[in-house]
Amino acid sequence: MTESTPNVYLIFGENEFVISQRVKALQDSLCDPGLAAMNVTRLDGKTTDLNTIKSITMAMPFLADRRVVILENPLA
């Protein structure tokens, strides 16, 4: 596996439906659906501490090229 630069996508706005659709489309394009349960993590900034966010984002992907970490409410 080769090391790559992480990509960060910032999606924000008032229309929660469009945001959820865009996040789903990105998730589907970045992660094999069969391995999504092991390589996609959804976090909420309201209830997750910074150390947990750091450790999850630094974790190696499982049988895939990358991990997908979705952080909702990042400024909370």
Side-chain angles (χ1 to χ4, degrees), residues 2-8 66:
T2 62
E3 189 172 325
S4 64
T5 304
N7 294 320
V8 176
R66 67 182 79 211

Side-chain angles (χ1 to χ4, degrees), residues 46-75:
K46 291 180 180 178
T47 59
T48 307
D49 64 85
L50 185 58
N51 287 330
T52 301
I53 294 170
K54 285 181 182 179
S55 66
I56 289 173
T57 57
M58 298 302 291
M60 296 296 294
F62 182 75
L63 298 174
D65 292 333
R66 67 182 79 211
R67 291 183 51 78
V68 176
V69 179
I70 301 166
L71 178 61
E72 297 175 352
N73 304 307
L75 300 177

Side-chain angles (χ1 to χ4, degrees), residues 24-54:
K24 176 73 171 124
L26 269 171
Q27 178 181 327
D28 291 345
S29 71
L30 295 172
C31 188
D32 177 2
L35 298 173
M38 295 174 274
N39 289 307
V40 175
T41 305
R42 295 184 80 93
L43 302 171
D44 188 343
K46 291 180 180 178
T47 59
T48 307
D49 64 85
L50 185 58
N51 287 330
T52 301
I53 294 170
K54 285 181 182 179

